């Protein structure tokens, strides 16, 4: 039957050839995490903008009953995730809906483009003053007294690859600079598989996930290895994140997603061995 809840905008405002956000062209996204006087999450606000159009689209989530839990998670730090997938039964998400004002009459996964593009990530304070989020720095140890000792050197055996290491020749997709944070490495899912969908990081920080791919923001990428301590943990309260999207090849039945989870805090390996977990129990 399709979506039957409240609607923030219609297919005339957002979609292919739409008046405010034409999804056949690149557009910009801003996500702001507003806080109250106590520093707790007060609202999450999303704004979509496009050059040449003077009607930005905005929606806001406030007075949500889970704000306390979300504040705790955001304080601990979130890992951004990018994915691109398709299905023939997504009218619950992109269908006409009960008001018949949605975008899609039907879904066709085979018509989805090979990839989408996401780029231009930045993080700054809502006050408009960019706030750097420094990474942990090892503290120097106090000097010690030195003694001359005899050392016996034994040959060092090469360690066996981890159980979740990928195929031989596995390489990291790349990295980019995110203003307000620093260097971000990309860690793809699928290293434990014989075949994995490509996730490209192009010069200048442009990312191009291909169909069926998913990847995580990390401080470090170790090829073939998943370590939850390496994932980025962005502190987003009182800040806003910006990025650009080109989803011109993603029509009805295609899902190009950017979202946040608590991957740094999850020491448990998932079915994919990458510590990923979501509400749908998807590997």
């Amino acid at each position: 039957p399709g979506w039957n809840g409240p609607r923030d905008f219609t297919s005339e405002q957002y979609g292919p050839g739409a008046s405010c956000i034409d999804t056949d062209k690149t557009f910009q996204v801003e996500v702001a995490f507003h806080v109250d006087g106590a520093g707790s999450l007060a609202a999450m606000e999303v704004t979509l903008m496009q050059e040449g159009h003077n009607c930005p689209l905005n929606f806001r989530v406030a007075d949500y009953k889970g704000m306390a839990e979300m504040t705790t998670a955001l304080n601990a730090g979130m890992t951004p995730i990018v994915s691109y997938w398709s299905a023939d039964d997504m009218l619950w998400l992109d269908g006409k809906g009960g008001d018949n004002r949605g975008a899609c009459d039907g879904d066709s996964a085979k018509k989805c483009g090979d990839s989408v593009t996401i780029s231009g990530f930045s993080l700054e304070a809502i006050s408009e003053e960019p706030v750097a989020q420094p990474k942990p720095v090892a503290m120097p140890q106090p000097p010690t007294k030195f003694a001359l000792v005899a050392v016996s050197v034994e040959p060092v055996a090469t360690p066996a690859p981890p159980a979740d290491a990928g195929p031989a020749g596995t390489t990291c997709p790349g990295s980019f600079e995110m203003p307000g944070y620093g260097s971000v490495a990309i860690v793809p899912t699928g290293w434990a598989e014989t075949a994995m969908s490509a996730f490209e990081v192009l010069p200048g920080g442009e990312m191009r996930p291909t169909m069926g791919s998913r990847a995580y923001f990390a401080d470090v990428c170790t090829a073939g290895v998943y370590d939850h301590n390496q994932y980025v943990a962005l502190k987003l309260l009182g800040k806003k994140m910006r990025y650009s999207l080109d989803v011109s090849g993603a029509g009805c039945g295609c899902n190009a997603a950017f979202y946040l989870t608590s991957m740094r805090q999850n020491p448990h390996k998932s079915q994919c061995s990458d510590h990923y977990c979501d509400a749908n129990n998807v590997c």
Side-chain angles (χ1 to χ4, degrees), residues 265-280:
Q265 296 79 26
N266 180 22
H268 307 290
K269 288 186 177 294
S270 61
Q271 292 178 348
C272 295
S273 300
D274 55 10
H275 304 272
Y276 176 76
C277 180
D278 67 16
N280 292 321

Side-chain angles (χ1 to χ4, degrees), residues 184-197:
V184 174
I186 295 299
V187 175
T189 192
W191 267 331
E193 303 170 6
T194 56
M196 53 186 284
S197 298

Side-chain angles (χ1 to χ4, degrees), residues 47-171:
T47 304
L48 309 180
M49 302 157 283
Q50 191 168 52
E51 185 177 354
H53 293 175
N54 295 319
C55 48
L57 301 179
N58 178 277
F59 53 98
R60 182 183 179 96
V61 177
D63 301 321
Y64 177 63
K65 66 179 181 179
M67 286 295 196
E69 290 83 358
M70 290 180 66
T71 296
T72 299
L74 287 165
N75 266 324
M78 307 301 293
T79 302
I81 298 173
V82 177
S83 68
Y84 184 40
W85 55 277
S86 62
D88 291 322
D89 55 353
M90 284 171 49
L91 292 179
W92 57 271
L93 178 65
D94 58 16
K96 289 290 186 181
D99 60 3
N100 203 39
R101 302 193 70 184
C104 301
D105 290 311
D107 294 320
S108 179
K110 66 182 180 181
K111 293 183 179 180
C112 295
D114 292 336
S115 65
V116 295
T117 301
I118 184 167
S119 61
F121 276 97
S122 67
L123 183 67
E124 63 184 73
I126 292 177
S127 64
E128 302 299 333
E129 297 179 4
V131 176
Q133 184 167 290
K135 301 181 182 181
V137 177
M139 297 299 293
Q141 298 298 314
T144 58
K145 295 181 179 180
F146 294 94
L148 187 63
V149 296
V151 178
S152 175
V153 178
E154 299 291 339
V156 178
T158 301
D164 57 357
T170 296
T171 59

